[in-house]
Amino acid sequence: MQIHYKKPVRRQVEHREIYQHYREDLRFDFNNACGYCDDSDLRADRICFHIDHFAPQKRFQHLKNAYANLVYACRFCNMRKSDHWVGNDPDIHNDGKKGFVDPCDEDYDNHLGREPSGRIVAKTELGQYIVNRLNLNLMRHQLLWNARRSRSLRDEVELLISRIEQLNTPENQQYYSLLKSYKDLTKRIEEYEISAVS
């Protein structure tokens, strides 16, 4: 399965002289999630999300404000990637074994995937390099992916509750109670999550 719930796609945006002014555009294009690990910023302090220069600005100053070179990234991935780059050409992202793949590139999914448990795994040697370099095997990435999945399942449970309410038969009452308890519990957990990062 793919790493991203929804593949990030950079739009064409108006050029800005200061790359930090792209933050909201990047956040939108990357679906409010880290381009590398897909951790959502909806359950984290947004200050923890950085703007990564895919080809590092320290080495390639001319790309400092190039929107096509920017990635919305969690601090975990951004700090691990840092200014690391293979080679001296900003257009050559990897050598097939070492380096990176732009998360907006379709090739990203050829090198990295996700197990049903939510764990990020390598599909290729280059993918293994990326997993190791960005520390994508952190348990936090798996847990945050499962938390997002849980919220999605809760939405489906809400639809089931509505259908059971419409049927209103005694045999469905125990299912109704169980589903309602699940929905209420996950809602309280989510409210706690939100209050913990506010």
Side-chain angles (χ1 to χ4, degrees):
M1 123 180 33
Q2 296 179 342
I3 286 183
H4 301 103
Y5 262 89
K6 183 178 177 189
K7 186 77 175 162
V9 177
R10 286 188 201 87
R11 298 165 294 147
Q12 293 289 330
V13 299
E14 183 180 323
H15 177 74
R16 301 196 176 102
E17 292 301 321
I18 301 171
Y19 76 86
Q20 290 93 337
H21 292 176
Y22 288 121
R23 175 174 285 279
E24 287 307 311
D25 289 310
L26 287 165
R27 187 168 180 256
F28 179 84
D29 288 353
F30 283 82
N31 308 303
N32 301 4
C34 175
Y36 299 110
C37 67
D38 204 40
D39 287 359
S40 172
D41 74 358
L42 299 176
R43 298 296 176 271
D45 185 341
R46 290 192 195 133
I47 293 170
C48 292
F49 275 73
H50 300 177
I51 297 175
D52 175 55
H53 289 81
F54 184 64
Q57 68 168 323
K58 190 173 185 178
R59 297 182 67 185
F60 308 108
Q61 270 294 309
H62 67 287
L63 295 175
K64 180 178 180 178
N65 297 315
Y67 191 72
N69 187 51
L70 302 177
V71 176
Y72 191 63
C74 72
R75 69 183 171 98
F76 295 91
C77 289
N78 190 41
M79 290 175 78
R80 288 286 300 184
K81 183 174 170 288
S82 188
D83 295 326
H84 187 73
W85 196 254
V86 175
N88 296 312
D89 186 337
D91 295 324
I92 300 175
H93 308 159
N94 63 72
D95 64 9
K97 295 180 180 180
K98 293 182 178 179
F100 301 100
V101 177
D102 185 327
C104 293
D105 192 321
E106 292 301 323
D107 199 35
Y108 196 75
D109 296 321
N110 294 330
H111 299 283
L112 298 162
R114 213 179 268 279
E115 292 179 340
S117 67
R119 184 171 167 260
I120 298 173
V121 294
K123 296 179 180 178
T124 64
E125 188 175 349
L126 176 59
Q128 190 61 57
Y129 179 87
I130 296 169
V131 165
N132 294 341
R133 183 72 204 175
L134 300 184
N135 214 6
L136 293 177
N137 54 2
L138 285 177
M139 179 63 75
R140 72 171 275 108
H141 300 311
Q142 185 174 344
L143 293 174
L144 288 171
W145 183 83
N146 278 303
R148 187 188 298 178
R149 191 169 163 221
S150 172
R151 288 189 295 276
S152 177
L153 288 173
R154 190 186 64 227
D155 293 342
E156 291 180 38
V157 165
E158 286 182 17
L159 290 174
L160 286 173
I161 289 171
S162 296
R163 289 183 188 145
I164 290 172
E165 282 177 330
Q166 290 171 356
L167 294 174
N168 197 20
T169 61
E171 58 269 12
N172 288 333
Q173 191 57 42
Q174 79 179 57
Y175 298 119
Y176 174 81
S177 296
L178 179 64
L179 292 171
K180 184 109 174 60
S181 294
Y182 169 79
K183 183 191 115 180
D184 294 343
L185 176 63
T186 58
K187 188 71 173 166
R188 284 196 305 275
I189 292 169
E190 182 177 24
E191 287 167 358
Y192 173 77
E193 276 184 301
I194 292 169
S195 69
V197 297
S198 297

